[in-house]
Amino acid sequence: MYHQQLAAHRRNFVLVLVISWGLLLAGYFNSNIWVLAAGALLLNGYAYYLMQADKRLAKEKGFRVPELSLLLVAFLGGGIGALEGMLIQRHKTKHTSFRILLPLFCIAQILLVIWVIQLYLDKNLVS
C-alpha cells in the first residue's frame, strides 16, 4: 500500500511541477504576465496543499509526504504557499530546516518576481 501511495505522490508531484513550470516559462517567453501568474499560483497552491495534506496524514498516522518533496516544491517556486501552509497549519514549525529554508525561498522568489516585473515593464516601455 505504501509503495502505491508513494508512486501516486511522485506522479502527481512531477505532473504539477511540469505544468506549473510550463506555464511559467510560456508566460516569461511570450511576455504574458497572466500565464506567468497562473503558473506561480498553481505552484504555491500545490505547496500549500502538500503541507495541509501532510499535516492531516500525520494526525491519521498514514502515508506521509516526504520532507524532500515539501522542500523541493518550495524551492522550485512554491515558497510562499509552503510558508503559508507551515504557519497556518502549524506543520513542520519545529524543524530547523523548514524554519530557515522556507523564509529564504520566499525572499528569493519575491526578489525574482520583482526582477521579472521590471523586465516586463522595461520590455513594454521600449516597444
Side-chain angles (χ1 to χ4, degrees):
M1 181 72 170
Y2 174 79
H3 296 295
Q4 291 173 344
Q5 290 172 327
L6 184 61
H9 163 70
R10 285 185 181 151
R11 182 186 63 243
N12 295 340
F13 182 76
V14 169
L15 182 65
V16 169
L17 286 179
V18 167
I19 291 170
S20 299
W21 272 93
L23 288 171
L24 286 170
L25 292 173
Y28 177 75
F29 288 116
N30 293 329
S31 297
N32 189 334
I33 200 80
W34 298 109
V35 175
L36 190 67
L41 187 64
L42 181 62
L43 268 172
N44 283 291
Y46 185 63
Y48 181 86
Y49 166 76
L50 281 180
M51 282 292 197
Q52 184 180 27
D54 193 45
K55 176 72 173 188
R56 179 179 42 82
L57 292 169
K59 288 179 181 178
E60 295 173 1
K61 304 213 184 308
F63 167 78
R64 299 288 303 277
V65 177
E67 286 186 2
L68 182 61
S69 294
L70 296 172
L71 288 172
L72 186 62
V73 77
F75 174 74
L76 292 175
I80 295 170
L83 183 64
E84 186 181 358
M86 182 179 87
L87 296 175
I88 291 175
Q89 302 294 327
R90 295 188 180 153
H91 187 54
K92 304 284 186 191
T93 55
K94 294 182 181 177
H95 292 257
T96 306
S97 59
F98 282 86
R99 285 194 342 227
I100 292 171
L101 291 176
L102 290 184
L104 286 176
F105 294 159
C106 286
I107 291 168
Q109 290 164 15
I110 288 169
L111 292 174
L112 183 65
V113 165
I114 292 169
W115 179 69
V116 167
I117 289 173
Q118 284 180 336
L119 283 177
Y120 180 75
L121 291 175
D122 290 342
K123 188 184 255 187
N124 283 344
L125 291 177
V126 171
S127 299

